[in-house]
PDB file of all heavy atoms in Angstrom:
ATOM      1  N   LYS A  78       5.417  -6.374  -2.286  1.00  0.00           N
ATOM      2  CA  LYS A  78       4.457  -5.275  -2.113  1.00  0.00           C
ATOM      3  C   LYS A  78       4.183  -4.563  -3.423  1.00  0.00           C
ATOM      4  O   LYS A  78       3.036  -4.198  -3.725  1.00  0.00           O
ATOM      5  CB  LYS A  78       4.978  -4.291  -1.058  1.00  0.00           C
ATOM      6  CG  LYS A  78       5.000  -4.861   0.353  1.00  0.00           C
ATOM      7  CD  LYS A  78       5.774  -3.939   1.294  1.00  0.00           C
ATOM      8  CE  LYS A  78       6.075  -4.610   2.608  1.00  0.00           C
ATOM      9  NZ  LYS A  78       6.957  -3.800   3.472  1.00  0.00           N
ATOM     10  N   LYS A  79       5.213  -4.371  -4.237  1.00  0.00           N
ATOM     11  CA  LYS A  79       5.023  -3.749  -5.543  1.00  0.00           C
ATOM     12  C   LYS A  79       4.100  -4.592  -6.424  1.00  0.00           C
ATOM     13  O   LYS A  79       3.244  -4.076  -7.140  1.00  0.00           O
ATOM     14  CB  LYS A  79       6.379  -3.549  -6.241  1.00  0.00           C
ATOM     15  CG  LYS A  79       7.175  -2.368  -5.712  1.00  0.00           C
ATOM     16  CD  LYS A  79       8.471  -2.179  -6.508  1.00  0.00           C
ATOM     17  CE  LYS A  79       9.239  -0.961  -6.023  1.00  0.00           C
ATOM     18  NZ  LYS A  79      10.520  -0.797  -6.758  1.00  0.00           N
ATOM     19  N   GLU A  80       4.284  -5.897  -6.361  1.00  0.00           N
ATOM     20  CA  GLU A  80       3.443  -6.805  -7.150  1.00  0.00           C
ATOM     21  C   GLU A  80       1.989  -6.739  -6.690  1.00  0.00           C
ATOM     22  O   GLU A  80       1.061  -6.751  -7.512  1.00  0.00           O
ATOM     23  CB  GLU A  80       3.966  -8.239  -7.013  1.00  0.00           C
ATOM     24  CG  GLU A  80       3.257  -9.259  -7.883  1.00  0.00           C
ATOM     25  CD  GLU A  80       3.629  -9.190  -9.355  1.00  0.00           C
ATOM     26  OE1 GLU A  80       4.471  -8.353  -9.721  1.00  0.00           O
ATOM     27  OE2 GLU A  80       3.077  -9.983 -10.136  1.00  0.00           O
ATOM     28  N   LEU A  81       1.781  -6.658  -5.393  1.00  0.00           N
ATOM     29  CA  LEU A  81       0.426  -6.568  -4.860  1.00  0.00           C
ATOM     30  C   LEU A  81      -0.239  -5.259  -5.268  1.00  0.00           C
ATOM     31  O   LEU A  81      -1.445  -5.213  -5.522  1.00  0.00           O
ATOM     32  CB  LEU A  81       0.432  -6.694  -3.336  1.00  0.00           C
ATOM     33  CG  LEU A  81       0.867  -8.049  -2.764  1.00  0.00           C
ATOM     34  CD1 LEU A  81       0.793  -8.034  -1.252  1.00  0.00           C
ATOM     35  CD2 LEU A  81       0.015  -9.183  -3.314  1.00  0.00           C
ATOM     36  N   VAL A  82       0.548  -4.201  -5.338  1.00  0.00           N
ATOM     37  CA  VAL A  82       0.015  -2.908  -5.773  1.00  0.00           C
ATOM     38  C   VAL A  82      -0.345  -2.948  -7.251  1.00  0.00           C
ATOM     39  O   VAL A  82      -1.412  -2.486  -7.668  1.00  0.00           O
ATOM     40  CB  VAL A  82       1.040  -1.777  -5.500  1.00  0.00           C
ATOM     41  CG1 VAL A  82       0.624  -0.480  -6.191  1.00  0.00           C
ATOM     42  CG2 VAL A  82       1.182  -1.547  -3.997  1.00  0.00           C
ATOM     43  N   LEU A  83       0.537  -3.529  -8.059  1.00  0.00           N
ATOM     44  CA  LEU A  83       0.344  -3.531  -9.511  1.00  0.00           C
ATOM     45  C   LEU A  83      -0.737  -4.504  -9.977  1.00  0.00           C
ATOM     46  O   LEU A  83      -1.495  -4.204 -10.899  1.00  0.00           O
ATOM     47  CB  LEU A  83       1.668  -3.871 -10.212  1.00  0.00           C
ATOM     48  CG  LEU A  83       2.774  -2.809 -10.116  1.00  0.00           C
ATOM     49  CD1 LEU A  83       4.086  -3.360 -10.685  1.00  0.00           C
ATOM     50  CD2 LEU A  83       2.360  -1.558 -10.875  1.00  0.00           C
ATOM     51  N   LYS A  84      -0.829  -5.676  -9.327  1.00  0.00           N
ATOM     52  CA  LYS A  84      -1.699  -6.726  -9.859  1.00  0.00           C
ATOM     53  C   LYS A  84      -2.812  -7.193  -8.913  1.00  0.00           C
ATOM     54  O   LYS A  84      -3.688  -7.950  -9.334  1.00  0.00           O
ATOM     55  CB  LYS A  84      -0.856  -7.936 -10.277  1.00  0.00           C
ATOM     56  CG  LYS A  84       0.112  -7.618 -11.402  1.00  0.00           C
ATOM     57  CD  LYS A  84       0.852  -8.857 -11.859  1.00  0.00           C
ATOM     58  CE  LYS A  84       1.804  -8.541 -13.004  1.00  0.00           C
ATOM     59  NZ  LYS A  84       2.555  -9.751 -13.443  1.00  0.00           N
ATOM     60  N   TRP A  85      -2.773  -6.768  -7.644  1.00  0.00           N
ATOM     61  CA  TRP A  85      -3.758  -7.263  -6.687  1.00  0.00           C
ATOM     62  C   TRP A  85      -4.596  -6.138  -6.071  1.00  0.00           C
ATOM     63  O   TRP A  85      -5.284  -6.353  -5.083  1.00  0.00           O
ATOM     64  CB  TRP A  85      -3.075  -8.055  -5.569  1.00  0.00           C
ATOM     65  CG  TRP A  85      -2.387  -9.296  -6.055  1.00  0.00           C
ATOM     66  CD1 TRP A  85      -1.188  -9.360  -6.713  1.00  0.00           C
ATOM     67  CD2 TRP A  85      -2.841 -10.642  -5.933  1.00  0.00           C
ATOM     68  NE1 TRP A  85      -0.867 -10.662  -6.991  1.00  0.00           N
ATOM     69  CE2 TRP A  85      -1.867 -11.477  -6.533  1.00  0.00           C
ATOM     70  CE3 TRP A  85      -3.974 -11.226  -5.364  1.00  0.00           C
ATOM     71  CZ2 TRP A  85      -1.991 -12.852  -6.586  1.00  0.00           C
ATOM     72  CZ3 TRP A  85      -4.100 -12.601  -5.402  1.00  0.00           C
ATOM     73  CH2 TRP A  85      -3.122 -13.403  -6.013  1.00  0.00           C
ATOM     74  N   ASN A  86      -4.504  -4.970  -6.633  1.00  0.00           N
ATOM     75  CA  ASN A  86      -5.328  -3.826  -6.218  1.00  0.00           C
ATOM     76  C   ASN A  86      -5.048  -3.370  -4.790  1.00  0.00           C
ATOM     77  O   ASN A  86      -5.916  -2.814  -4.119  1.00  0.00           O
ATOM     78  CB  ASN A  86      -6.823  -4.151  -6.374  1.00  0.00           C
ATOM     79  CG  ASN A  86      -7.701  -2.916  -6.322  1.00  0.00           C
ATOM     80  OD1 ASN A  86      -7.334  -1.863  -6.852  1.00  0.00           O
ATOM     81  ND2 ASN A  86      -8.849  -3.013  -5.683  1.00  0.00           N
ATOM     82  N   LEU A  87      -3.841  -3.613  -4.305  1.00  0.00           N
ATOM     83  CA  LEU A  87      -3.486  -3.162  -2.959  1.00  0.00           C
ATOM     84  C   LEU A  87      -3.101  -1.689  -2.990  1.00  0.00           C
ATOM     85  O   LEU A  87      -2.385  -1.239  -3.880  1.00  0.00           O
ATOM     86  CB  LEU A  87      -2.306  -3.971  -2.427  1.00  0.00           C
ATOM     87  CG  LEU A  87      -1.801  -3.559  -1.038  1.00  0.00           C
ATOM     88  CD1 LEU A  87      -2.809  -3.963   0.028  1.00  0.00           C
ATOM     89  CD2 LEU A  87      -0.437  -4.181  -0.757  1.00  0.00           C
ATOM     90  N   LYS A  88      -3.582  -0.948  -1.999  1.00  0.00           N
ATOM     91  CA  LYS A  88      -3.126   0.415  -1.775  1.00  0.00           C
ATOM     92  C   LYS A  88      -2.119   0.354  -0.625  1.00  0.00           C
ATOM     93  O   LYS A  88      -2.416  -0.201   0.439  1.00  0.00           O
ATOM     94  CB  LYS A  88      -4.298   1.342  -1.415  1.00  0.00           C
ATOM     95  CG  LYS A  88      -5.425   1.339  -2.438  1.00  0.00           C
ATOM     96  CD  LYS A  88      -4.958   1.741  -3.825  1.00  0.00           C
ATOM     97  CE  LYS A  88      -6.112   1.781  -4.823  1.00  0.00           C
ATOM     98  NZ  LYS A  88      -6.746   0.476  -5.021  1.00  0.00           N
ATOM     99  N   HIS A  89      -0.946   0.933  -0.845  1.00  0.00           N
ATOM    100  CA  HIS A  89       0.164   0.780   0.088  1.00  0.00           C
ATOM    101  C   HIS A  89       0.833   2.124   0.320  1.00  0.00           C
ATOM    102  O   HIS A  89       1.031   2.903  -0.618  1.00  0.00           O
ATOM    103  CB  HIS A  89       1.167  -0.228  -0.496  1.00  0.00           C
ATOM    104  CG  HIS A  89       2.463  -0.312   0.242  1.00  0.00           C
ATOM    105  ND1 HIS A  89       3.516   0.557   0.024  1.00  0.00           N
ATOM    106  CD2 HIS A  89       2.884  -1.193   1.182  1.00  0.00           C
ATOM    107  CE1 HIS A  89       4.524   0.234   0.799  1.00  0.00           C
ATOM    108  NE2 HIS A  89       4.181  -0.822   1.514  1.00  0.00           N
ATOM    109  N   TYR A  90       1.199   2.389   1.579  1.00  0.00           N
ATOM    110  CA  TYR A  90       1.878   3.651   1.901  1.00  0.00           C
ATOM    111  C   TYR A  90       2.822   3.427   3.068  1.00  0.00           C
ATOM    112  O   TYR A  90       2.428   2.831   4.076  1.00  0.00           O
ATOM    113  CB  TYR A  90       0.858   4.729   2.266  1.00  0.00           C
ATOM    114  CG  TYR A  90       1.465   6.074   2.554  1.00  0.00           C
ATOM    115  CD1 TYR A  90       2.091   6.813   1.549  1.00  0.00           C
ATOM    116  CD2 TYR A  90       1.419   6.618   3.834  1.00  0.00           C
ATOM    117  CE1 TYR A  90       2.648   8.059   1.817  1.00  0.00           C
ATOM    118  CE2 TYR A  90       1.975   7.863   4.107  1.00  0.00           C
ATOM    119  CZ  TYR A  90       2.586   8.572   3.088  1.00  0.00           C
ATOM    120  OH  TYR A  90       3.138   9.800   3.346  1.00  0.00           O
ATOM    121  N   SER A  91       4.075   3.925   2.933  1.00  0.00           N
ATOM    122  CA  SER A  91       5.051   3.677   4.003  1.00  0.00           C
ATOM    123  C   SER A  91       6.030   4.826   4.198  1.00  0.00           C
ATOM    124  O   SER A  91       7.139   4.614   4.680  1.00  0.00           O
ATOM    125  CB  SER A  91       5.837   2.395   3.683  1.00  0.00           C
ATOM    126  OG  SER A  91       6.518   2.531   2.444  1.00  0.00           O
ATOM    127  N   ARG A  92       5.653   6.044   3.846  1.00  0.00           N
ATOM    128  CA  ARG A  92       6.564   7.185   3.984  1.00  0.00           C
ATOM    129  C   ARG A  92       6.711   7.584   5.455  1.00  0.00           C
ATOM    130  O   ARG A  92       5.752   7.948   6.114  1.00  0.00           O
ATOM    131  CB  ARG A  92       6.028   8.374   3.178  1.00  0.00           C
ATOM    132  CG  ARG A  92       6.825   9.659   3.329  1.00  0.00           C
ATOM    133  CD  ARG A  92       6.218  10.761   2.479  1.00  0.00           C
ATOM    134  NE  ARG A  92       6.833  12.051   2.737  1.00  0.00           N
ATOM    135  CZ  ARG A  92       6.414  12.912   3.655  1.00  0.00           C
ATOM    136  NH1 ARG A  92       5.367  12.611   4.427  1.00  0.00           N
ATOM    137  NH2 ARG A  92       7.027  14.068   3.820  1.00  0.00           N
ATOM    138  N   HIS A  93       7.951   7.512   5.951  1.00  0.00           N
ATOM    139  CA  HIS A  93       8.261   7.908   7.328  1.00  0.00           C
ATOM    140  C   HIS A  93       7.348   7.214   8.350  1.00  0.00           C
ATOM    141  O   HIS A  93       6.874   7.822   9.310  1.00  0.00           O
ATOM    142  CB  HIS A  93       8.142   9.426   7.498  1.00  0.00           C
ATOM    143  CG  HIS A  93       9.044  10.209   6.607  1.00  0.00           C
ATOM    144  ND1 HIS A  93      10.362   9.878   6.392  1.00  0.00           N
ATOM    145  CD2 HIS A  93       8.814  11.333   5.870  1.00  0.00           C
ATOM    146  CE1 HIS A  93      10.917  10.740   5.577  1.00  0.00           C
ATOM    147  NE2 HIS A  93      10.002  11.631   5.222  1.00  0.00           N
ATOM    148  N   THR A  94       7.061   5.959   8.134  1.00  0.00           N
ATOM    149  CA  THR A  94       6.238   5.210   9.088  1.00  0.00           C
ATOM    150  C   THR A  94       6.984   3.953   9.502  1.00  0.00           C
ATOM    151  O   THR A  94       7.732   3.377   8.709  1.00  0.00           O
ATOM    152  CB  THR A  94       4.887   4.790   8.468  1.00  0.00           C
ATOM    153  OG1 THR A  94       5.128   3.926   7.342  1.00  0.00           O
ATOM    154  CG2 THR A  94       4.101   5.997   8.012  1.00  0.00           C
ATOM    155  N   ARG A  95       6.780   3.542  10.731  1.00  0.00           N
ATOM    156  CA  ARG A  95       7.310   2.243  11.160  1.00  0.00           C
ATOM    157  C   ARG A  95       6.302   1.196  10.722  1.00  0.00           C
ATOM    158  O   ARG A  95       5.211   1.109  11.265  1.00  0.00           O
ATOM    159  CB  ARG A  95       7.488   2.214  12.680  1.00  0.00           C
ATOM    160  CG  ARG A  95       8.610   3.104  13.177  1.00  0.00           C
ATOM    161  CD  ARG A  95       8.827   2.888  14.659  1.00  0.00           C
ATOM    162  NE  ARG A  95       9.201   1.510  14.953  1.00  0.00           N
ATOM    163  CZ  ARG A  95       9.346   1.009  16.180  1.00  0.00           C
ATOM    164  NH1 ARG A  95       9.129   1.780  17.218  1.00  0.00           N
ATOM    165  NH2 ARG A  95       9.695  -0.252  16.354  1.00  0.00           N
ATOM    166  N   GLY A  96       6.655   0.420   9.723  1.00  0.00           N
ATOM    167  CA  GLY A  96       5.687  -0.479   9.119  1.00  0.00           C
ATOM    168  C   GLY A  96       5.087   0.178   7.894  1.00  0.00           C
ATOM    169  O   GLY A  96       5.627   1.144   7.357  1.00  0.00           O
ATOM    170  N   PHE A  97       3.940  -0.334   7.465  1.00  0.00           N
ATOM    171  CA  PHE A  97       3.309   0.196   6.264  1.00  0.00           C
ATOM    172  C   PHE A  97       1.795   0.107   6.387  1.00  0.00           C
ATOM    173  O   PHE A  97       1.258  -0.772   7.066  1.00  0.00           O
ATOM    174  CB  PHE A  97       3.790  -0.550   5.014  1.00  0.00           C
ATOM    175  CG  PHE A  97       3.611  -2.048   5.065  1.00  0.00           C
ATOM    176  CD1 PHE A  97       2.536  -2.663   4.432  1.00  0.00           C
ATOM    177  CD2 PHE A  97       4.523  -2.854   5.744  1.00  0.00           C
ATOM    178  CE1 PHE A  97       2.365  -4.036   4.473  1.00  0.00           C
ATOM    179  CE2 PHE A  97       4.351  -4.239   5.797  1.00  0.00           C
ATOM    180  CZ  PHE A  97       3.277  -4.827   5.154  1.00  0.00           C
ATOM    181  N   TYR A  98       1.123   1.032   5.733  1.00  0.00           N
ATOM    182  CA  TYR A  98      -0.336   1.077   5.739  1.00  0.00           C
ATOM    183  C   TYR A  98      -0.871   0.410   4.473  1.00  0.00           C
ATOM    184  O   TYR A  98      -0.298   0.579   3.383  1.00  0.00           O
ATOM    185  CB  TYR A  98      -0.834   2.516   5.804  1.00  0.00           C
ATOM    186  CG  TYR A  98      -0.657   3.154   7.160  1.00  0.00           C
ATOM    187  CD1 TYR A  98       0.567   3.696   7.533  1.00  0.00           C
ATOM    188  CD2 TYR A  98      -1.711   3.208   8.070  1.00  0.00           C
ATOM    189  CE1 TYR A  98       0.740   4.287   8.780  1.00  0.00           C
ATOM    190  CE2 TYR A  98      -1.547   3.799   9.316  1.00  0.00           C
ATOM    191  CZ  TYR A  98      -0.323   4.323   9.669  1.00  0.00           C
ATOM    192  OH  TYR A  98      -0.157   4.895  10.906  1.00  0.00           O
ATOM    193  N   VAL A  99      -1.973  -0.349   4.618  1.00  0.00           N
ATOM    194  CA  VAL A  99      -2.546  -1.056   3.477  1.00  0.00           C
ATOM    195  C   VAL A  99      -4.071  -0.956   3.470  1.00  0.00           C
ATOM    196  O   VAL A  99      -4.703  -0.781   4.521  1.00  0.00           O
ATOM    197  CB  VAL A  99      -2.171  -2.557   3.485  1.00  0.00           C
ATOM    198  CG1 VAL A  99      -0.696  -2.757   3.219  1.00  0.00           C
ATOM    199  CG2 VAL A  99      -2.576  -3.212   4.803  1.00  0.00           C
ATOM    200  N   SER A 100      -4.628  -1.071   2.282  1.00  0.00           N
ATOM    201  CA  SER A 100      -6.085  -1.123   2.129  1.00  0.00           C
ATOM    202  C   SER A 100      -6.411  -1.731   0.770  1.00  0.00           C
ATOM    203  O   SER A 100      -5.659  -1.574  -0.190  1.00  0.00           O
ATOM    204  CB  SER A 100      -6.694   0.278   2.227  1.00  0.00           C
ATOM    205  OG  SER A 100      -8.093   0.220   1.991  1.00  0.00           O
ATOM    206  N   PHE A 101      -7.532  -2.434   0.721  1.00  0.00           N
ATOM    207  CA  PHE A 101      -8.056  -2.916  -0.554  1.00  0.00           C
ATOM    208  C   PHE A 101      -9.307  -2.152  -0.961  1.00  0.00           C
ATOM    209  O   PHE A 101      -9.760  -2.247  -2.084  1.00  0.00           O
ATOM    210  CB  PHE A 101      -8.388  -4.416  -0.482  1.00  0.00           C
ATOM    211  CG  PHE A 101      -7.175  -5.304  -0.516  1.00  0.00           C
ATOM    212  CD1 PHE A 101      -6.814  -6.041   0.599  1.00  0.00           C
ATOM    213  CD2 PHE A 101      -6.407  -5.404  -1.658  1.00  0.00           C
ATOM    214  CE1 PHE A 101      -5.694  -6.855   0.576  1.00  0.00           C
ATOM    215  CE2 PHE A 101      -5.277  -6.224  -1.701  1.00  0.00           C
ATOM    216  CZ  PHE A 101      -4.922  -6.951  -0.578  1.00  0.00           C
ATOM    217  N   SER A 102      -9.866  -1.389  -0.036  1.00  0.00           N
ATOM    218  CA  SER A 102     -11.139  -0.714  -0.303  1.00  0.00           C
ATOM    219  C   SER A 102     -11.011   0.800  -0.449  1.00  0.00           C
ATOM    220  O   SER A 102     -11.847   1.443  -1.081  1.00  0.00           O
ATOM    221  CB  SER A 102     -12.138  -1.025   0.814  1.00  0.00           C
ATOM    222  OG  SER A 102     -11.643  -0.587   2.073  1.00  0.00           O
ATOM    223  N   MET A 103      -9.971   1.400   0.141  1.00  0.00           N
ATOM    224  CA  MET A 103      -9.797   2.850   0.076  1.00  0.00           C
ATOM    225  C   MET A 103      -8.957   3.227  -1.139  1.00  0.00           C
ATOM    226  O   MET A 103      -8.183   2.420  -1.642  1.00  0.00           O
ATOM    227  CB  MET A 103      -9.112   3.362   1.345  1.00  0.00           C
ATOM    228  CG  MET A 103      -9.884   3.101   2.615  1.00  0.00           C
ATOM    229  SD  MET A 103      -8.929   3.517   4.103  1.00  0.00           S
ATOM    230  CE  MET A 103      -8.861   5.294   3.975  1.00  0.00           C
ATOM    231  N   ASN A 104      -9.111   4.483  -1.591  1.00  0.00           N
ATOM    232  CA  ASN A 104      -8.179   4.953  -2.614  1.00  0.00           C
ATOM    233  C   ASN A 104      -6.898   5.414  -1.932  1.00  0.00           C
ATOM    234  O   ASN A 104      -6.849   5.597  -0.712  1.00  0.00           O
ATOM    235  CB  ASN A 104      -8.797   6.054  -3.493  1.00  0.00           C
ATOM    236  CG  ASN A 104      -9.169   7.298  -2.691  1.00  0.00           C
ATOM    237  OD1 ASN A 104      -8.353   7.822  -1.937  1.00  0.00           O
ATOM    238  ND2 ASN A 104     -10.406   7.769  -2.852  1.00  0.00           N
ATOM    239  N   LEU A 105      -5.852   5.611  -2.718  1.00  0.00           N
ATOM    240  CA  LEU A 105      -4.541   5.903  -2.151  1.00  0.00           C
ATOM    241  C   LEU A 105      -4.521   7.225  -1.391  1.00  0.00           C
ATOM    242  O   LEU A 105      -3.899   7.327  -0.323  1.00  0.00           O
ATOM    243  CB  LEU A 105      -3.487   5.920  -3.259  1.00  0.00           C
ATOM    244  CG  LEU A 105      -2.036   6.126  -2.814  1.00  0.00           C
ATOM    245  CD1 LEU A 105      -1.615   5.054  -1.813  1.00  0.00           C
ATOM    246  CD2 LEU A 105      -1.103   6.122  -4.021  1.00  0.00           C
ATOM    247  N   THR A 106      -5.214   8.233  -1.922  1.00  0.00           N
ATOM    248  CA  THR A 106      -5.246   9.540  -1.250  1.00  0.00           C
ATOM    249  C   THR A 106      -5.828   9.425   0.149  1.00  0.00           C
ATOM    250  O   THR A 106      -5.288   9.978   1.112  1.00  0.00           O
ATOM    251  CB  THR A 106      -6.068  10.549  -2.077  1.00  0.00           C
ATOM    252  OG1 THR A 106      -5.485  10.671  -3.377  1.00  0.00           O
ATOM    253  CG2 THR A 106      -6.097  11.911  -1.400  1.00  0.00           C
TER     254      THR A 106
END
């Protein structure tokens, strides 16, 4: 996941969530 964030433009968020949220089109905020 870190590699996808750094090199594949993935936006990733998983704070206090079961699973993780992802997007390629939205900004992180």
Side-chain angles (χ1 to χ4, degrees):
K78 292 169 193 173
K79 283 183 177 178
E80 185 75 1
L81 294 181
V82 169
L83 291 172
K84 297 184 179 179
W85 296 77
N86 195 38
L87 178 71
K88 305 302 182 297
H89 170 276
Y90 182 67
S91 60
R92 175 179 172 270
H93 301 316
T94 62
R95 290 187 61 186
F97 55 99
Y98 286 82
V99 291
S100 176
F101 285 112
S102 60
M103 299 172 69
N104 62 51
L105 184 57
T106 301

